[in-house]
Structures are given as C-alpha cells and as structure tokens.
Amino acid sequence: MMNGNKRTLLITAVLGVTLLLAGCTSAITGDSDGSDALPDNMTADELQEKAVSASEDVESATFTMDMSMDLGDQGSAEMSTDGAMDMAAEKMRMEMEMDTMGQGFDITQYVVGETIYQQMDGGWQKQSVPGFWDQSQYAQQQEALESATEFEVTEQTTVNGNDVYKMEIDVDEEQLLETVQQQGNQQGMGSLYENADISNVEMTQYIDTDTYQIRQVEMSMDMSMMGEDATMNMTMTYDSINEPVDITLPEEAEGASSAGSGTNY
C-alpha cells in the first residue's frame, strides 16, 4: 500500500488534470460528423458556432461537479463540489467534500481577481494565480467548443429539465498529456506529471437546444502517474446561467497566510 502522503499527491495530480482540462482545449482534432439528432436546417458545425457564441455571453453561473477516482489496490476517492462564478466581477466560490479511504474532509475556496483563498482544517491560505480567468473552467469549455473539429451530435436529451444536444468529442491523448505537463510546469507542479501517461479519454458536452449554452460536461480517462494507475470519471453541470450569484469573501479569509503560486481551477 502507498503511504498517505503519496496517495494525497496522486489525488492532487489527478484532480489537477480534471479541473485544468475539463475543457480539453487544444487536444481536439479531426472532422465533424452530421447527426439525425439535429434539426433539418442545422449542421453540427453550425451548432458548434452557435454554442461558441453563446458561451462568450456567459457572465455568471452556478455549478456542481461530481468526481470519482479508482486507484486500484490503493482504494478510491470521491469528491462533490458546489459553486458559483461571476466572470464579470472575477469572483468564484467552491465548496468541496472529499472522501478517500474512508476519511472525509471539506475544502472551501474563493477566487477574487487572481487570488485563490482556501480553507482546510480550519485555517485559511491564499495563492496568487496570474491569468486565472483566461483559463478558468467555463473559459476552457468555450475554447474546447471553438477548437473542436472532430465531434458528433448523437442525440437530444435533457439535463436538469433543460433540452440539450449531446455532443461527443474526440481527444488527441498525446496532445492532452503535453498540455497537462505544460500547465503543471507553469504552476510549479511539473514533478507530479513526470513519466505520466493518459489513455482512453472520453469527453461529452451537452448543449442547450434553445440558448446553445453548455449545460453539462462529462469526462473520463485512465492515467498512470507517480508509478500508480488511476481511473477518473467526472460530471460537471452548469445552472442559473447569467442569473445573479452571491460570492462574498468571508472576513476571516482576508487575513489568510500566503501559500505562493497555486493550482488553476
């Protein structure tokens, strides 16, 4: 069995891949396919264009994320996240619950400008993350749509009562790994991704049939990191798009100690 510190580092590495690359920004290549799921007067390329345009107009949203990690003989980890973001004001909050090896803990994060404030085990720390809002999660989803050239709209379905198009996107796994390593190096976490491998990547986006906004993203992959194998499954859902959100940094976080450069979520 790996020790607790190594397990924590592995979970950190897998979590970093998940949150940094939910958009899979530069790893999408190929040609789009048509689909019977689209109206007669719309092609998959036209849906992509409409979705990109709609994403550019998103200024706020609430979101949830559920993620599971299978670490083989080393156990498993589960994480659920509830949050809100206001891109216009450059603010975000996330409340996370994680359970690993039967041990649970909570993490609260706020982002104000280019600073992340994090509370764990009762104390607050802050981290400077230059360019956060250029690579935040919804910005990545938008870029994924804009750069996607191999995708297929497979059906119409519903997400939280919203009618959506289901768009399956192919991912270049070598390019994805290269992106992971580049971003890890930029954030001082490059050692976690040395000798890493990523395979069996699957990604699906659900696009609102009326507003063309991203309503949900599903992503799964197998990874080998730090000499250990892991399988990750993630679902991220967006709601209350462009509705008012309340994001107020707690007073106790204002005196947070500095933790240096942090991971871009």
Side-chain angles (χ1 to χ4, degrees), residues 90-108:
E90 295 192 346
K91 292 183 178 182
M92 182 167 71
R93 63 169 172 80
M94 293 197 298
E95 297 174 352
M96 294 173 279
E97 296 181 358
M98 179 174 283
D99 183 283
T100 174
M101 301 298 292
Q103 295 182 331
F105 55 93
D106 298 332
I107 303 173
T108 299

Side-chain angles (χ1 to χ4, degrees), residues 19 59-63 81-96 108-118 124 129 132-133 135-139 236 238 245-250 263-265:
L19 297 178
E59 294 188 348
S60 64
T62 59
F63 61 90
T81 301
D82 183 83
M85 54 188 172
D86 186 337
M87 279 81 81
E90 295 192 346
K91 292 183 178 182
M92 182 167 71
R93 63 169 172 80
M94 293 197 298
E95 297 174 352
M96 294 173 279
T108 299
Q109 286 188 340
Y110 282 80
V111 180
V112 180
E114 295 186 335
T115 302
I116 292 178
Y117 298 82
Q118 177 170 292
W124 284 91
V129 187
F132 177 91
W133 293 100
Q135 300 182 47
S136 62
Q137 54 181 260
Y138 208 90
M236 181 171 286
Y238 298 97
V245 293
D246 180 18
I247 304 174
T248 304
L249 183 69
T263 300
N264 177 356
Y265 297 99

Side-chain angles (χ1 to χ4, degrees), residues 119-168:
Q119 182 191 45
M120 186 175 176
D121 296 328
W124 284 91
Q125 287 189 324
K126 62 181 179 181
Q127 303 169 328
S128 177
V129 187
F132 177 91
W133 293 100
D134 294 331
Q135 300 182 47
S136 62
Q137 54 181 260
Y138 208 90
Q140 289 182 348
Q141 305 300 344
Q142 176 184 328
E143 188 176 344
L145 280 168
E146 194 165 7
S147 62
T149 55
E150 184 169 338
F151 50 87
E152 181 181 5
V153 181
T154 58
E155 65 174 315
Q156 288 191 37
T157 183
T158 59
V159 170
N160 285 353
N162 299 295
D163 293 332
V164 294
Y165 298 113
K166 181 178 180 180
M167 180 184 288
E168 297 182 356

Side-chain angles (χ1 to χ4, degrees), residues 19-263:
L19 297 178
L20 286 170
L21 296 171
C24 258
T25 56
S26 59
I28 303 165
T29 60
D31 298 312
S32 60
D33 295 322
S35 172
D36 294 336
L38 290 168
D40 292 338
N41 61 349
M42 185 186 300
T43 66
D45 288 333
E46 289 170 341
L47 173 60
Q48 178 198 26
E49 293 174 2
K50 290 177 180 292
V52 169
S53 178
S55 296
E56 292 173 348
D57 293 333
V58 172
E59 294 188 348
S60 64
T62 59
F63 61 90
T64 60
M65 184 180 74
D66 293 304
M67 185 181 69
S68 63
M69 289 178 280
D70 183 351
L71 306 177
D73 293 339
Q74 311 304 331
S76 62
E78 304 281 340
M79 188 182 76
S80 60
T81 301
D82 183 83
M85 54 188 172
D86 186 337
M87 279 81 81
E90 295 192 346
K91 292 183 178 182
M92 182 167 71
R93 63 169 172 80
M94 293 197 298
E95 297 174 352
M96 294 173 279
E97 296 181 358
M98 179 174 283
D99 183 283
T100 174
M101 301 298 292
Q103 295 182 331
F105 55 93
D106 298 332
I107 303 173
T108 299
Q109 286 188 340
Y110 282 80
V111 180
V112 180
E114 295 186 335
T115 302
I116 292 178
Y117 298 82
Q118 177 170 292
Q119 182 191 45
M120 186 175 176
D121 296 328
W124 284 91
Q125 287 189 324
K126 62 181 179 181
Q127 303 169 328
S128 177
V129 187
F132 177 91
W133 293 100
D134 294 331
Q135 300 182 47
S136 62
Q137 54 181 260
Y138 208 90
Q140 289 182 348
Q141 305 300 344
Q142 176 184 328
E143 188 176 344
L145 280 168
E146 194 165 7
S147 62
T149 55
E150 184 169 338
F151 50 87
E152 181 181 5
V153 181
T154 58
E155 65 174 315
Q156 288 191 37
T157 183
T158 59
V159 170
N160 285 353
N162 299 295
D163 293 332
V164 294
Y165 298 113
K166 181 178 180 180
M167 180 184 288
E168 297 182 356
I169 300 175
D170 288 345
V171 176
D172 184 322
E173 293 168 354
E174 291 184 3
Q175 181 61 52
L176 176 60
L177 178 58
E178 182 179 333
T179 303
V180 169
Q181 293 171 332
Q182 288 176 347
Q183 295 194 15
N185 287 331
Q186 291 172 359
Q187 296 159 14
M189 298 173 61
S191 62
L192 295 181
Y193 304 111
E194 290 178 355
N195 303 316
D197 183 62
I198 295 175
S199 60
N200 299 322
V201 179
E202 295 184 0
M203 179 181 176
T204 304
Q205 289 189 344
Y206 294 83
I207 310 301
D208 194 292
T209 61
D210 292 325
T211 65
Y212 305 110
Q213 296 161 340
I214 303 165
R215 286 291 182 178
Q216 190 173 86
V217 180
E218 296 174 346
M219 192 173 184
S220 65
M221 67 176 74
D222 295 331
M223 287 168 282
S224 176
M225 294 182 181
M226 302 167 57
E228 303 290 343
D229 296 328
T231 297
M232 181 278 296
N233 292 277
M234 179 206 74
T235 299
M236 181 171 286
T237 305
Y238 298 97
D239 203 358
S240 301
I241 297 175
N242 285 339
E243 296 181 12
V245 293
D246 180 18
I247 304 174
T248 304
L249 183 69
E251 291 184 7
E252 57 267 30
E254 296 177 0
S257 59
S258 177
S261 298
T263 300

